[in-house]
Amino acid sequence: PTPPVTDDTKGNFNSFNNGEPKSTYGTYTNATGWTAENCAILSGYDGEGDGTNPRFAFIGSPSTLAPTLNGNSTKPGKLTSPTLAGGCGKLTFNYGFAFNETSDTKFTVSIKQGDKVVKTQTVTVAKADWVKFKVYDFSMDVNVTGDFSIEIVNDCAGAQTANKERVSIWNLTWTE
């Protein structure tokens, strides 16, 4: 059985790394089987403590965790769900940028049934348009029934070979 969700979103990102933010890029699995690969786990910040990396006020409260997909083209960040039941109507999440970046940021959200991609959407935020510490809203009409999985991959738009083009994702949920 799937472990209980510990926050009010179906993604349950607040259980990554045992609920603790971590600025080191690595592979993390949450309580419901999501995997964040080549990611850091950032959190919100409420003014208590030092408020430095990995804590950022724009993400929300300190208990809100945000897997942050690395844009290093030699090890791109990827967020993958386990197989989810009940279908997906609309997928939503927040995303944003905690660090100064030097190029465009691009990521692709794919909905899969088995090994087949049944719906995909790519988001590109041009360097000239993105704002550090701004909360962006993502919404995708999926409309699939049955079992599905979600994969979000940093497309490494600038082909950087350092920790760049990073995008944080939080509050992921969907309608059935």
Side-chain angles (χ1 to χ4, degrees):
T2 301
V5 172
T6 59
D7 60 40
D8 59 359
T9 66
K10 293 182 181 178
N12 196 30
F13 291 175
N14 298 351
S15 67
F16 273 110
N17 197 41
N18 298 314
E20 292 297 320
K22 187 159 177 102
S23 59
T24 306
Y25 293 94
T27 298
Y28 303 91
T29 303
N30 77 355
T32 56
W34 287 73
T35 301
E37 185 180 342
N38 296 318
C39 291
I41 306 296
L42 304 185
S43 75
Y45 174 68
D46 65 1
E48 296 293 321
D50 64 5
T52 58
N53 184 7
R55 294 167 178 82
F56 297 90
F58 80 104
I59 292 171
S61 77
S63 64
T64 301
L65 297 184
T68 301
L69 286 64
N70 199 343
N72 183 329
S73 64
T74 65
K75 46 188 172 196
K78 180 166 73 169
L79 187 59
T80 309
S81 78
T83 298
L84 305 164
C88 180
K90 179 177 275 195
L91 174 68
T92 58
F93 57 81
N94 297 118
Y95 68 97
F97 310 103
F99 305 104
N100 289 318
E101 303 297 357
T102 57
S103 57
D104 299 351
T105 301
K106 180 177 168 184
F107 62 92
T108 299
V109 180
S110 297
I111 306 300
K112 296 180 173 182
Q113 291 188 299
D115 290 333
K116 183 180 175 200
V117 174
V118 294
K119 193 83 169 190
T120 189
Q121 186 171 322
T122 298
V123 175
T124 302
V125 180
K127 169 63 178 126
D129 296 333
W130 74 259
V131 178
K132 184 178 177 182
F133 302 148
K134 176 182 175 183
V135 177
Y136 293 83
D137 297 313
F138 174 88
S139 178
M140 177 178 176
D141 291 321
V142 178
N143 300 319
V144 298
T145 58
D147 292 348
F148 68 99
S149 62
I150 301 168
E151 181 181 79
I152 305 171
V153 178
N154 190 322
D155 295 324
C156 307
Q160 305 278 334
T161 56
N163 298 337
K164 298 290 183 187
E165 300 172 29
R166 297 155 286 191
V167 60
S168 300
I169 295 173
W170 67 100
N171 293 339
L172 184 141
T173 196
W174 61 89
T175 60
E176 293 178 7

